[in-house]
Amino acid sequence: METEQTAEDVFHLLSDEIRVDILREVARARYDEIPIVTPGLSFSELYGRVDVDNTSKFSYHLGELTGTFLRKHEDRYRFTHAGEQMVRFILAENYLHPSDFQAIETDGSCLQCGTAALQAVPHDQYFMIQCTACESPAFTYKLTPAQVRGHTGTDLIDTVIWEQASDFLKMRQDVCPDCAGNMETEIRDLSGEPEAERLPTSLVTLSECQQCLRFMSVPITHAAAYHPESIVFHWKRGLDILATGVWEFHENLHTEQWTADHVDGPTGSYKVEFQHDSSSLRLYLDETAVVTKSERVRGKDHSASRS
């Protein structure tokens, strides 16, 4: 029975430059050929692409990678899932410090003070939307060196928006956007907590991956906005939820166009309502932020349709 490797064992395999070069060449060969079915590289093909003294030395390093980062099938070498993830990380040089960028003005308002004076700034290797009025952070998200190298200005902000939209859609299905493990979400009322005193709502969702511990917390309204009913409702009224930054949702809380309340009944424990002119969408959620019922209210007579 094969002994299970530890994280220390796995990362130690990458301590030699020859092994890192082998992974790079497998990726580059696949990119050069762009086949529908990746054939992989044979021993001799790989050896010809890597700068190494002799075949014995090359064979040793290739053998160390095989099983963890590479798999061998019919005398050809391809990536394992770990090798695929690791080589992308290496090629993008995402192990480096992201370059700083100049502050970028952006739409939206501060979650705390409601002022529409936001800018995107680098902060401790993260992307942060900061309020220039009260200096509070309005939103913080991951940022990679490749992201900053490949995009500038508002294009950089757009990459963050698409990243966060993709992440929220996955988390709605209890899938961790980083490791694809199980994501568990709960709704928490922060009433009475010091950090909630300046917020327009005390109801937030807390989502945490049970494997890699990825964590995210947003107002319950913002999490519910990514439900399909909400996406369609807002799309028909000129707002593309998936192409809008979470920080741009904050204004709807301050104007009370988006509201969240406790409810008691068979439909759920919480109600989120999105209002637009004389129409509104109501979503009822249970304690784990799962939508149990939707209700559209149209016109001044408040006639409703339910699903």
Side-chain angles (χ1 to χ4, degrees), residues 20-63:
V20 175
D21 283 346
I22 290 173
L23 296 182
R24 286 195 184 102
E25 291 307 321
V26 173
R28 286 168 178 159
R30 185 167 64 176
Y31 177 81
D32 292 341
E33 297 175 13
I34 316 180
I36 296 176
V37 179
T38 305
L41 290 175
S42 67
F43 180 95
S44 60
E45 289 170 336
L46 254 178
Y47 178 65
R49 299 175 71 106
V50 177
D51 184 13
V52 63
D53 296 336
N54 53 69
T55 56
S56 297
K57 188 174 183 180
F58 176 78
S59 179
Y60 167 72
H61 289 298
L62 180 60

Side-chain angles (χ1 to χ4, degrees), residues 46-107:
L46 254 178
Y47 178 65
R49 299 175 71 106
V50 177
D51 184 13
V52 63
D53 296 336
N54 53 69
T55 56
S56 297
K57 188 174 183 180
F58 176 78
S59 179
Y60 167 72
H61 289 298
L62 180 60
E64 289 293 285
L65 291 172
T66 303
T68 301
F69 295 114
L70 296 174
R71 55 192 173 95
K72 184 180 180 182
H73 180 67
E74 295 181 351
D75 295 325
R76 304 189 77 84
Y77 294 87
R78 303 177 180 87
F79 287 123
T80 62
H81 75 91
E84 184 82 38
Q85 293 294 314
M86 185 57 66
V87 79
R88 302 300 166 208
F89 181 76
I90 292 171
L91 290 172
E93 296 184 336
N94 279 342
Y95 48 83
L96 299 175
H97 190 298
S99 300
D100 285 340
F101 57 89
Q102 296 296 318
I104 310 166
E105 292 186 2
T106 183
D107 295 331

Side-chain angles (χ1 to χ4, degrees), residues 268-288:
S269 301
Y270 303 91
K271 179 183 74 173
V272 169
E273 184 162 359
F274 303 110
Q275 299 179 42
H276 189 278
D277 294 332
S278 59
S279 301
S280 66
L281 170 67
R282 296 169 184 165
L283 298 180
Y284 296 86
L285 298 81
D286 64 17
E287 293 82 358
T288 62

Side-chain angles (χ1 to χ4, degrees), residues 188-199 201-202 204:
R188 187 173 297 177
D189 190 344
L190 300 181
S191 298
E193 299 291 335
E195 61 267 29
E197 292 180 359
R198 297 179 59 192
L199 300 180
T201 179
S202 62
V204 300

